[in-house]
Amino acid sequence: MNTATITTTVRPYQSYVYAYPHKTAYDELPDRPALRGLWADEPKDALSLYLHIPFCEVRCGFCNLFTRIGAPDGLTTAYLDALERQADAVSDALGDGARFAAAAFGGGTPTFLEAVELERLCDIAEKRMGADLAAVPLSVEASPATATAERLAVLAARGTTRLSLGVQSFVDAEARSAVRPQRRADVEAALARIREAGIPVLNIDLIYGIDGQTERSWLRSLDAALAWHPEELYLYPLYVRPLTGLGRKEAAETDQEWDERRLRLYRLGRDHLLARGYEQVSMRMFRRTDTPAPASGGEDHACQTDGMIGLGCGARSYTSGLHYSFDYAVDMREIRGIIDDYVSRPEADFGHAEHGRVITGDEARRRHLLQSVLQADGLDVAAYRARFAADPAEDFPEELARFAARGWLDPAAPHGWLRLSPEGLAHSDALGPELFSPAVRAAMAAYEAK
């Protein structure tokens, strides 16, 4: 069977692997281990800090993030109060010597917070956690409606190096189809304010595969984004997930037709950006080659090995042996309940891990391989060997042989590197899930969506 035939039998859009294992594989930790013990022997000189804000002005039809629409009076204040209590408990558990190499505010929409609340959020990161936001890369997510001049001024003054704007489409009809009520004129005004604020790196998120989207309209969105010369562009395939707005709509296409359309639009967008001075960093991420952008994780931060501290009810934290978070949900009622529980907790409650998954030696290998090979640069075999005393080909012979047979591995990769081919990158959302362990697959399958 030839490579093309093998490739077409695999559904290209199965799951976006942005973290492994996924939170649907987490379970309650019956012993509720103390954070002080979990972090006692961990390297803490290059941590990543993530602060989660679970509020949005609207919830897009494709969104399955942990977020709620709006906030009743006093809820954002109560949430920041709880975030401070959690920061104090976590900082105490980390002890002296913790150093942060990167920081990010995500959600939800962090810029849902008012300017004075964003100041307070930055203070939590700096004064309570000890992250020097002026000295490390700081990435913040925003929406066009909340990217106001006042909020952007606060973020710029506090050291934000990257602002990611969720646009999704510059075509108003497509935005409505994705249940994202916005007008192109408002998006353009937000982009003008971001550029005026002087934040070094602008990222624009776009989505392909929206109902009614054509190759022509996709190029219109791409060119509208390119007019702002963004340092980064993310091209996301549309997913329709359970318990989301679009998840309740009837599909207009068969799965195969939709897959073929998304692949066609992906390749069109990829080639369009590569021809206009962008380099591909991953399946989704493209970076301008003429303007060096600060590394999102810092020059001395490696997502495969370094730990993460997550604050907020939707954030996850990573030690070498355990990934942990709070409970996870998609349904709006369930999310509201988890947020209400979070803001009611005393500081002592935040000194323990409650939901998570133990990362065994096998899972650590899988995570290292995933986090590396899904990047365009690929995996440094020597670094893998130094960490695990084995080659990836020894640990994953069947998977790598299968990927090679499909044409997903680059035979021209430099010596000592395992790298995906262009077609492999295009199939990242199929390749990634094939590296999930049987135990993680079983846990995800047993998870009851809520």
Side-chain angles (χ1 to χ4, degrees), residues 40-355:
D41 298 323
E42 293 289 312
K44 297 187 281 276
D45 59 342
L47 297 172
S48 180
L49 178 64
Y50 178 79
L51 275 64
H52 176 248
I53 303 299
F55 307 109
C56 289
E57 72 274 18
V58 296
R59 193 176 197 191
C60 305
F62 52 83
C63 178
N64 73 334
L65 296 178
F66 189 96
T67 188
R68 61 165 292 164
I69 301 171
D73 287 347
L75 183 56
T76 56
T77 297
Y79 187 83
L80 291 170
D81 289 343
L83 208 58
E84 286 182 345
R85 295 194 297 274
Q86 186 184 12
D88 289 342
V90 172
S91 181
D92 181 65
L94 288 175
D96 297 332
R99 173 180 172 270
F100 292 95
F105 302 159
T109 308
T111 49
F112 179 90
L113 299 177
E114 300 291 343
V116 66
E117 294 174 319
L118 286 173
E119 291 275 19
R120 189 177 174 192
L121 187 68
C122 291
D123 284 344
I124 292 171
E126 290 198 320
K127 298 178 180 179
R128 294 178 184 267
M129 292 305 301
D132 186 351
L133 299 183
V136 303
L138 170 61
S139 179
V140 181
E141 297 172 4
S143 67
T146 61
T148 64
E150 189 179 18
R151 291 177 172 108
L152 293 170
V154 169
L155 294 176
R158 297 302 293 262
T160 302
T161 54
R162 178 180 182 272
L163 196 290
S164 181
L165 192 72
V167 173
Q168 319 316 349
S169 177
F170 283 85
V171 179
D172 289 354
E174 290 178 6
R176 288 194 299 272
S177 181
V179 195
R180 184 180 180 86
Q182 68 184 23
R183 297 184 308 135
R184 176 171 175 173
D186 297 329
V187 172
E188 301 278 2
L191 286 164
R193 292 192 295 270
I194 294 167
R195 281 310 197 194
E196 187 175 347
I199 294 171
V201 176
L202 166 64
N203 173 72
I204 296 177
D205 289 345
L206 297 175
I207 286 181
Y208 55 92
I210 299 170
D211 188 30
Q213 188 179 53
T214 65
E215 294 178 20
R216 184 176 179 181
S217 67
W218 177 227
L219 288 175
R220 281 175 57 197
S221 270
L222 288 166
D223 286 337
L226 289 170
W228 291 95
H229 306 289
E231 284 72 25
E232 295 176 3
L233 275 160
Y234 269 73
L235 309 185
Y236 288 96
L238 179 66
Y239 276 95
V240 175
R241 303 175 176 95
L243 302 182
T244 64
L246 291 180
R248 300 180 180 93
K249 292 177 64 177
E250 233 178 273
E253 300 170 289
T254 67
D255 288 341
Q256 183 178 347
E257 288 170 337
W258 193 31
D259 283 347
E260 290 173 351
R261 184 163 64 91
R262 283 183 289 180
L263 263 181
R264 190 167 60 250
L265 293 171
Y266 161 78
R267 291 173 175 138
L268 179 64
R270 175 197 63 194
D271 295 347
H272 197 68
L273 295 184
L274 293 178
R276 283 156 181 78
Y278 285 78
E279 63 178 342
Q280 187 166 18
V281 179
S282 68
M283 172 187 167
R284 287 163 172 75
M285 181 182 177
F286 295 80
R287 179 184 293 143
R288 238 174 61 193
T289 56
D290 64 340
T291 305
S296 59
E299 291 182 1
D300 57 354
H301 181 82
C303 64
Q304 295 92 336
T305 56
D306 293 332
M308 173 183 282
I309 296 293
L311 302 180
C313 58
R316 62 183 92 205
S317 299
Y318 305 148
T319 72
S320 60
L322 180 73
H323 289 192
Y324 62 92
S325 182
F326 293 97
D327 200 4
Y328 173 72
V330 175
D331 180 74
M332 194 63 69
R333 184 182 303 174
E334 296 283 349
I335 290 173
R336 286 197 295 265
I338 294 172
I339 294 173
D340 290 345
D341 172 69
Y342 175 82
V343 301
S344 71
R345 289 172 177 248
E347 182 178 324
D349 260 16
F350 294 120
H352 300 266
E354 297 186 358
H355 287 78

